[in-house]
Amino acid sequence: MEQASLATKTSGNVIRCRAAVAWTTNAPLSIEEVEVDPPKAGEVRVKIIASGICGTDNHTIEGKMKTPFPVILGHEGAGVVESIGPGVTTVKPGDKVLMFPLPECRECFYCLHPEGNFCEKEDIISPTGLMLDGTSRFTCRGKKIYNIMGTSTFTEYTVVHEIAVVKIDAAAPMDTVCIMSCAVPTGFGAVFNTAQVTPGSSCVVFGLGGIGSAIVMACKASGACRIIGVDINEEKFPRARALGVTDCLNPNKLKKPVQEVVKEMTGVGVDFAFEAIGLIETMVAALKSCNRSYGVCVIMGVAPTGSQLSFDPLVLLPGRTLKSSVLGGYKTRDDIPKLVTDYVQKKINIDPLITHRLPFPKINEGFRLLREGKCIRCVLSMRP
Ligand code: CXF
Ligand code: ZN
């Protein structure tokens, strides 16, 4: 009832609400009052309930991912539809939804191909920070504010394209399933879809944050018998072991390159290697950690804009495969609601990935926890 009356009160009007604005790089986010315009054709305005803080948000704050500023970050959100623009048919006010940093238009070449998910309507590779019509829905202090990957969840209300939002199971706990907008599909899909980890196999995971931890859980669920976790922050090791990591390595404490240690531990190198940090150095180390004949390396960390990945092609010649995936290769609107329902029905568990919860105004504390490696995922509650 409350949501229905809210939709009538606010639909068609500008909403003034709180949002965390990143005015420049390398500065704390500022909680501001912003104006959120009503949704235009094909758009949906969502009242955000909960949002996870992802490493990619931090990369953006640190200037490693080039995107226009000032910006409202956040791309891991769950909320309730407040109002819809003309022509929207797949969601309605009051629906519980997830929104994604990768849309699924269901019309482009990649959406129509059974193997593709990198929708041509994405705003990831050359970000404009704007809606598809080239305009913004946010203003603050009279200034235009950009969005991030068409999403922006560090706000009480946002506007997203219908093609980036999906209705989910009404029984889903929003403050948990919000991480199914990024960390969970990115990690699970890298393992189940991209690498296709096999029972009895050996794996190495570089980076034991949110995505790396989801990878560890999925490797374990796939029956991997050895899962080596690599991180320079040893505080992450106990949680990683609890999720399924069998051996922990801190590259800063090793006398030789980490890939050589992985090779010694496994004889020939692992079957599957995953990079979930976003550093060139760890991407190359992950590639060299997998066995040279049929090892598969999946990178999903986002490296700084403009950086170059380079290695001797002889590394690949014996047969290694280097792959990548975004959102784990899942078609976001088609596939992710089923993951949510699997969670609701207790077929999968994602609870251990959420180690911290904070009210939205404490967002900078959440980023501090992330930078210091104290959390796996910290989820912000927009509605106390
Ligand atoms: C990001 C970066 C690539 C596009 C989707 C979102 N992945 C994880 O944060
Ligand atoms: Zn993310």
Side-chain angles (χ1 to χ4, degrees), residues 54-57 75-76 101 149 181-183 186 211 377:
C54 178
T56 304
D57 297 310
H75 59 273
E76 209 174 55
M149 299 183 283
S181 288
C182 180
T186 302
I211 293 171
R377 257 304 182 263

Side-chain angles (χ1 to χ4, degrees), residues 144-221:
K144 172 164 85 176
I145 308 295
Y146 291 92
N147 70 31
I148 188 79
M149 299 183 283
T151 319
S152 292
T153 58
F154 296 156
T155 169
E156 290 173 320
Y157 287 86
T158 192
V159 177
V160 293
H161 300 107
E162 181 182 17
I163 59 173
V165 67
V166 72
K167 182 176 176 175
I168 54 167
D169 198 313
M174 308 295 265
D175 58 358
T176 297
V177 300
C178 62
I179 67 168
M180 289 206 170
S181 288
C182 180
V184 172
T186 302
F188 282 19
V191 172
F192 299 139
N193 304 330
T194 318
Q196 299 186 352
V197 169
T198 47
S201 61
S202 55
C203 302
V204 64
V205 183
F206 285 76
L208 298 170
I211 293 171
S213 301
I215 292 168
V216 168
M217 291 175 87
C219 288
K220 186 170 181 191

